[in-house]
Amino acid sequence: MRSTVGWVPVTSRTLIKNLAALPDGPVSVAGWVDTVRDQKKVQFVILRDETGAVQLVNPAVRELDPEGVSVGAAEALALTESISGLSHGTFVRVMGELKHDERVKLGGLEVKIGDLEVVTAALEIPIAADSGLDKRMDWRFLDLRHPKQNLIFRIQTTFLHALRTYWVEHEFVEVQTPKLMASPSESRAELFQLEYFDTTAYLAQSPQHFKQMAQSAGFGKIFEVGPAFRADPSFTSRHATEFTSIDTEVSWIDTHEDVMRLHEELMVAGFTAVVEKHGAEVAELFGIELTVPTTPFPRIPLAEAKQIVADHGYVVPRADADMDPEGERRISQYVKETYGHDFVFLTDYASTIRPFYHMRHEDDPSLTKSYDLIYNGTEISTGAQREHRVEVLVAQAESMGLDPEELGTYLEFFKYGVPPHGGFGMGLARVLMLMLGEGSIRETTYLFRGPTRLLP
Amino acid sequence: MRSTVGWVPVTSRTLIKNLAALPDGPVSVAGWVDTVRDQKKVQFVILRDETGAVQLVNPAVRELDPEGVSVGAAEALALTESISGLSHGTFVRVMGELKHDERVKLGGLEVKIGDLEVVTAALEIPIAADSGLDKRMDWRFLDLRHPKQNLIFRIQTTFLHALRTYWVEHEFVEVQTPKLMASPSESRAELFQLEYFDTTAYLAQSPQHFKQMAQSAGFGKIFEVGPAFRADPSFTSRHATEFTSIDTEVSWIDTHEDVMRLHEELMVAGFTAVVEKHGAEVAELFGIELTVPTTPFPRIPLAEAKQIVADHGYVVPRADADMDPEGERRISQYVKETYGHDFVFLTDYASTIRPFYHMRHEDDPSLTKSYDLIYNGTEISTGAQREHRVEVLVAQAESMGLDPEELGTYLEFFKYGVPPHGGFGMGLARVLMLMLGEGSIRETTYLFRGPTRLLP
């Protein structure tokens, strides 16, 4: 059935969330069919769009009055039959009469259907709300129709825009660094490689190399939000082979403390925007009362954090100086109980467990000027002041068993002058996962990529 | 020589552009040495940062007064020698006294050096302002230090932020679509492939497939700014193997006219911000008076455009219905002369020269509901209404010789309901190139990637 409406511009459909503010009268809505209650005398359709759900109602006309010649009777019968045939997921466009009515549970309003156009029919949906995660991922484009999933990506939009607005207002320059590289910049492990005309290219594991190059180029302060790739064979809830990395790098810092201060200001900007715009929805759909974190975030040197965790009964079972996920959970819990804070910077990681380009303390080169940011028990970011003195950088690389020859192009730009600098990289999906209490970054990634998942 | 300053937070250095507004007195600046004029009695250093250049001055002390024991004499001699040894590109941090002085050509002010810390020395710069493009690209991190290059990326930042702000204010959702795909979505030509654990993955040539999937997912209106990859062996001024694609896709449109209207509103938002923030600098450094384009942009059906160009003496030498770059230049010139406009939408491309997923006109299926946007003579974008009816889509694919089996996953989500939709993809570097009258996208890409260029 064709709609009687001719040209519908982008902005003419009324978003469902905007119906409540309209007076009773004609409206045009569009979306997909969530459910149909096809009663003898009356039909109800729950229509959903990206902003909400609304009840549509139609008085059923089941047969033509054999004697009647009432105007529109055939159309009414056809409409009834069309509604009876609607399957979940069918996209429809509806002209109707909005009526506010307190008795309607769903938002206190309904739309009496005048005309309904079936835009595309739909096969039966192969997943349910309680389907397993992997099955939902198989049908991610349907899974994303759920209001909770939709909200995640509206939150993502708000969060990223708040970060970018902070950066732009503070005169950071946005860069798009290449994802195709001639050589691995950090390590040959977990690296995707591809045939590139007559040579081989590698997919960037992070924009680290190119962010630092921008410091040599005199860009001063930069940011990027883009994909990063790791041929990581693990199947944990927090690893992916492709993920969105939030990156920033700043010249003329004095210590990693400067980076942490920038980092917490960015988090406050992001959380403030999310709480303002989506706080009520998050409470409703996720049962979480989001709050804006206070600054400064607690800072604990890693060695001290390990000691605190040990004093509370968990000795991190590692031979090296590093933390482990259980240790991160426990120190996070300690910080929450002691300081009432969801975030904690673990600082001053041992040089042996950090990349060679992290700057070391002048008075104790066994420690780096670096940190991890832990949020609700899980690491979401690594930051550091970088070593900008090429001779020190070479010495640090060699001391860690790296061959400076292999790092050739990485070291090149340092020879032409680089100011002191530092920055961080942060996984977007992890932030969202921990913000919303989700169990996996699969839930907070638009289309997850893992060792056995390249589809859809 | 160590600075006497201890801890310098991110925000404490004064950006050079901000000096003019400060009163005479102590300041701290940091940047790289542009030039040194080492005169007998006085030394001048032009210091540059990402915001401008400033003259530093130092009264030279060439030798210690053999009888003198004046306080600080040794330090003054050391400072003079340190300045004499500065090479271009050396990064320094300077404490000094700002003095406004109309006689100073460079901005009417100078900074008398109190203390100068050499942060990193620099090898001699291997390129000059007049070096060839390819050589400049070899040393891109140095090339980018030029004020023109720096401005390009500040303009990029402003342009993208204005687009994103428009999108966010109009409730678009930002998505990060995967760049790793299980199968080629559009064509097997110009495709990078890589080993992906036990299988093969492909790099996305555009987010087309995933943008459309978001429509099926009920996201309504989405945008993305991200990398796209094409194994394109050509060496033109407007092709790259990796480029930043600006993408948007909208549900519930009626025709490609809706997409064009969105497109021109976005361009107006972007240009308004750039003109406001950088108009004066663009005039100064590029000699271009940027203006905000008026809406509506002219629209010309492609067939008519070819006729106009032919009437003006250029018959496009192609056997098919398509335009060519020379034809685009000429129609653009015609539009500029006739309508005074830098932009023109060429519309209604023949079905034979468009992808199978472009929607065709109901009343003339030989034409698509599509367009190219031409800006200052060159195509920057392709947009269209997409075919959302799966049976029509399959028929169109088959009519173009494609095997629907090969398109398997592309067609899958259409079976579960998709609203009418359309959108466009636009090359960021092309927009900037044409905005600034540059000869190649190499100039407007942070680090260009081409068939023979993977470095730096």
Side-chain angles (χ1 to χ4, degrees):
Chain A
M1 186 180 297
R2 274 296 299 172
S3 162
T4 51
V5 188
W7 184 79
V8 180
V10 168
T11 47
S12 81
R13 119 183 113 109
T14 298
L15 294 174
I16 289 172
K17 71 166 181 185
N18 294 336
L19 289 174
L22 293 182
D24 286 1
V27 292
S28 164
V29 289
W32 66 94
V33 172
D34 193 284
T35 48
V36 179
R37 262 191 304 143
D38 198 5
Q39 300 174 357
K40 193 175 175 193
K41 300 269 183 188
V42 61
Q43 300 174 300
F44 296 100
V45 176
I46 303 301
L47 183 77
R48 198 172 274 289
D49 72 10
E50 66 269 32
T51 68
V54 64
Q55 177 167 295
L56 312 178
V57 61
N58 183 55
V61 174
R62 297 295 178 182
E63 54 189 22
L64 282 181
D65 177 354
E67 296 170 39
V69 282
S70 66
V71 178
E75 286 80 354
L77 180 63
L79 176 61
T80 299
E81 287 175 352
S82 173
I83 292 171
S84 295
L86 291 175
S87 61
H88 173 108
T90 302
F91 278 80
V92 297
R93 197 180 255 148
V94 173
M95 300 287 296
E97 287 285 318
L98 171 67
K99 197 178 164 206
H100 291 267
D101 183 342
E102 283 180 8
R103 293 168 303 175
V104 180
K105 274 190 193 164
L106 188 60
L109 54 83
E110 64 182 11
V111 174
K112 183 167 176 299
I113 298 171
D115 188 46
L116 180 144
E117 176 195 359
V118 171
V119 172
T120 46
L123 293 181
E124 200 183 326
I125 300 289
I127 54 167
D130 62 351
S131 292
L133 179 56
D134 214 50
K135 180 155 189 198
R136 287 198 287 113
M137 292 297 109
D138 287 343
W139 300 96
R140 183 62 164 163
F141 49 92
L142 302 176
D143 183 50
L144 288 168
R145 287 183 187 164
H146 290 124
K148 270 179 83 165
Q149 306 293 352
N150 183 285
L151 178 57
I152 289 171
F153 294 92
R154 287 186 288 118
I155 290 172
Q156 171 180 295
T157 305
T158 300
F159 184 76
L160 287 178
H161 194 64
L163 263 53
R164 293 198 188 101
T165 299
Y166 178 98
W167 279 315
V168 169
E169 285 175 354
H170 290 81
E171 304 193 306
F172 284 62
V173 173
E174 176 167 0
V175 290
Q176 273 83 29
T177 66
K179 306 311 163 199
L180 296 172
M181 304 179 75
S183 57
S185 70
E186 299 202 31
S187 84
R188 293 201 170 269
E190 302 188 352
L191 199 62
F192 288 117
Q193 67 177 64
L194 58 142
E195 239 179 80
Y196 189 83
F197 301 98
D198 297 333
T199 180
T200 299
Y202 302 88
L203 292 184
Q205 292 169 302
S206 87
Q208 187 59 35
H209 180 59
F210 302 122
K211 283 200 300 177
Q212 294 191 254
M213 202 179 276
Q215 309 309 305
S216 178
F219 276 25
K221 294 174 285 191
I222 57 133
F223 69 95
E224 176 174 26
V225 178
F229 305 89
R230 307 231 170 136
D232 183 340
S234 60
F235 288 90
T236 79
S237 61
R238 58 191 197 288
H239 289 94
T241 54
E242 175 176 356
F243 62 97
T244 300
S245 184
I246 298 170
D247 278 275
T248 190
E249 199 80 17
V250 188
S251 285
W252 300 109
I253 62 163
D254 224 50
T255 73
H256 54 317
E257 172 62 27
D258 290 324
V259 183
M260 287 190 277
R261 221 182 310 161
L262 170 63
H263 202 152
E264 61 194 7
E265 283 191 27
L266 280 162
M267 297 309 279
V268 166
F271 274 73
T272 300
V274 170
V275 169
E276 261 176 33
K277 198 159 178 179
H278 309 291
E281 284 175 287
V282 170
E284 188 192 333
L285 294 178
F286 290 88
I288 289 173
E289 292 296 333
L290 274 188
T291 54
V292 179
T294 54
T295 55
F297 295 179
R299 289 142 165 80
I300 306 179
L302 180 67
E304 196 180 310
K306 287 186 79 169
Q307 190 57 54
I308 289 170
V309 165
D311 291 348
H312 287 73
Y314 180 71
V315 178
V316 176
R318 289 184 65 114
D320 64 18
D322 214 350
M323 205 49 142
D324 71 351
E326 178 60 22
E328 287 170 358
R329 268 190 291 280
R330 292 192 177 224
I331 192 66
S332 201
Q333 192 186 341
Y334 167 84
V335 166
K336 182 74 178 169
E337 285 162 7
T338 313
Y339 305 108
H341 215 288
D342 297 330
F343 292 88
V344 57
F345 287 119
L346 301 184
T347 68
D348 305 283
Y349 280 64
S351 308
T352 48
I353 55 170
R354 286 304 217 191
F356 71 95
Y357 54 80
H358 281 197
M359 186 177 270
R360 298 174 183 178
H361 282 282
E362 290 84 358
D363 55 358
D364 183 356
S366 75
L367 296 179
T368 57
K369 294 184 174 186
S370 75
Y371 69 86
D372 274 9
L373 178 55
I374 314 292
Y375 173 37
N376 282 344
T378 298
E379 182 245 308
I380 57 172
S381 174
T382 296
Q385 175 163 11
R386 326 299 185 182
E387 181 52 64
H388 61 281
R389 298 160 296 186
V390 66
E391 66 284 359
V392 181
L393 200 54
V394 169
Q396 289 186 181
E398 285 172 341
S399 80
M400 296 185 78
L402 295 168
D403 178 2
E405 284 298 305
E406 285 237 343
L407 299 167
T409 58
Y410 179 76
L411 296 174
E412 195 62 22
F413 64 81
F414 285 95
K415 299 174 187 162
Y416 296 88
V418 184
H421 63 282
F424 67 81
M426 179 166 69
L428 173 60
R430 287 198 187 186
V431 176
L432 294 168
M433 169 181 83
L434 295 159
M435 180 193 285
L436 300 170
E438 292 286 293
S440 168
I441 57 170
R442 289 158 183 76
E443 303 278 7
T444 53
T445 303
Y446 174 55
L447 295 166
F448 176 76
R449 293 293 182 253
T452 56
R453 181 167 292 286
L454 273 174
L455 285 171
Chain B
M1 188 180 297
R2 273 297 300 171
S3 160
T4 50
V5 188
W7 185 77
V8 181
V10 169
T11 48
S12 82
R13 118 183 115 110
T14 298
L15 294 173
I16 289 173
K17 71 166 180 183
N18 293 335
L19 290 173
L22 292 183
D24 287 0
V27 291
S28 164
V29 290
W32 64 94
V33 172
D34 192 286
T35 48
V36 179
R37 264 191 304 143
D38 198 5
Q39 300 174 359
K40 193 177 175 195
K41 299 270 186 191
V42 61
Q43 300 175 301
F44 296 100
V45 177
I46 303 299
L47 182 77
R48 197 173 274 289
D49 72 9
E50 66 269 31
T51 68
V54 64
Q55 177 167 294
L56 312 179
V57 61
N58 184 54
V61 173
R62 298 294 178 181
E63 54 189 22
L64 283 182
D65 178 353
E67 297 170 41
V69 282
S70 65
V71 178
E75 286 81 355
L77 179 65
L79 176 60
T80 299
E81 287 175 352
S82 173
I83 291 172
S84 295
L86 292 175
S87 60
H88 172 108
T90 302
F91 278 79
V92 297
R93 197 181 256 148
V94 173
M95 300 286 298
E97 286 285 317
L98 171 67
K99 197 179 166 203
H100 291 268
D101 183 342
E102 283 180 8
R103 293 168 303 175
V104 180
K105 275 190 193 165
L106 187 61
L109 54 82
E110 62 183 15
V111 174
K112 182 166 177 298
I113 299 171
D115 186 45
L116 180 143
E117 177 196 358
V118 171
V119 172
T120 46
L123 293 181
E124 200 183 326
I125 300 287
I127 54 167
D130 61 352
S131 293
L133 179 57
D134 213 50
K135 181 155 189 198
R136 287 198 287 113
M137 292 298 110
D138 286 343
W139 300 95
R140 183 63 165 163
F141 49 91
L142 301 175
D143 184 51
L144 287 169
R145 286 183 188 166
H146 291 126
K148 270 179 83 164
Q149 306 292 353
N150 183 285
L151 178 56
I152 288 170
F153 294 92
R154 285 185 290 119
I155 289 171
Q156 171 180 295
T157 306
T158 300
F159 184 76
L160 287 179
H161 194 64
L163 263 53
R164 293 199 188 100
T165 300
Y166 177 97
W167 278 316
V168 169
E169 285 176 353
H170 290 80
E171 304 193 308
F172 285 62
V173 173
E174 176 167 1
V175 290
Q176 273 83 29
T177 66
K179 307 311 163 198
L180 296 171
M181 303 178 75
S183 58
S185 69
E186 300 203 30
S187 83
R188 293 202 169 267
E190 303 189 350
L191 199 63
F192 288 117
Q193 66 177 64
L194 59 142
E195 237 178 80
Y196 189 84
F197 301 98
D198 298 333
T199 182
T200 300
Y202 302 88
L203 292 184
Q205 292 169 303
S206 87
Q208 187 58 36
H209 180 59
F210 302 122
K211 284 200 299 178
Q212 295 191 254
M213 202 179 278
Q215 310 309 305
S216 178
F219 276 26
K221 295 175 285 193
I222 57 133
F223 70 95
E224 176 173 26
V225 177
F229 305 89
R230 305 228 172 138
D232 183 341
S234 60
F235 287 90
T236 80
S237 61
R238 57 191 197 291
H239 289 93
T241 53
E242 177 176 355
F243 62 97
T244 300
S245 185
I246 298 170
D247 279 275
T248 190
E249 199 79 17
V250 187
S251 284
W252 300 108
I253 63 164
D254 225 49
T255 74
H256 54 317
E257 172 62 27
D258 290 323
V259 184
M260 288 189 277
R261 220 182 311 161
L262 170 64
H263 202 152
E264 62 195 8
E265 283 190 29
L266 280 162
M267 297 309 278
V268 166
F271 274 73
T272 300
V274 170
V275 169
E276 260 175 34
K277 196 159 179 179
H278 309 291
E281 284 175 286
V282 170
E284 187 192 334
L285 294 178
F286 289 89
I288 289 173
E289 292 296 331
L290 274 189
T291 55
V292 179
T294 54
T295 55
F297 295 179
R299 288 143 165 79
I300 307 179
L302 180 67
E304 196 181 310
K306 286 185 81 169
Q307 190 56 52
I308 290 170
V309 165
D311 292 348
H312 286 72
Y314 180 71
V315 178
V316 176
R318 288 184 67 113
D320 65 17
D322 214 349
M323 207 43 145
D324 70 351
E326 178 59 23
E328 287 171 357
R329 270 189 290 279
R330 291 190 177 227
I331 192 66
S332 200
Q333 193 187 339
Y334 166 85
V335 167
K336 182 73 179 170
E337 286 162 6
T338 312
Y339 306 107
H341 215 289
D342 298 330
F343 291 87
V344 56
F345 286 118
L346 301 184
T347 68
D348 305 282
Y349 280 64
S351 307
T352 48
I353 55 171
R354 287 303 218 193
F356 71 94
Y357 55 78
H358 281 197
M359 186 177 271
R360 298 172 184 180
H361 282 282
E362 289 83 0
D363 54 0
D364 183 356
S366 74
L367 297 178
T368 57
K369 295 186 173 183
S370 74
Y371 69 86
D372 274 10
L373 178 56
I374 315 292
Y375 173 38
N376 282 343
T378 298
E379 182 244 310
I380 56 173
S381 174
T382 295
Q385 177 164 10
R386 325 299 184 182
E387 181 52 64
H388 60 282
R389 298 160 296 187
V390 67
E391 65 286 359
V392 182
L393 199 55
V394 168
Q396 289 186 180
E398 284 171 342
S399 80
M400 297 185 79
L402 295 168
D403 178 1
E405 283 298 304
E406 284 237 343
L407 299 167
T409 58
Y410 179 76
L411 296 173
E412 195 62 20
F413 64 80
F414 286 94
K415 299 173 188 164
Y416 295 88
V418 184
H421 64 281
F424 67 82
M426 179 166 70
L428 173 60
R430 287 198 186 186
V431 176
L432 293 168
M433 170 181 83
L434 296 158
M435 180 193 285
L436 300 171
E438 292 285 293
S440 169
I441 57 169
R442 288 159 184 75
E443 302 278 6
T444 53
T445 303
Y446 175 55
L447 295 167
F448 176 77
R449 292 292 182 255
T452 56
R453 181 167 292 286
L454 272 174
L455 285 172

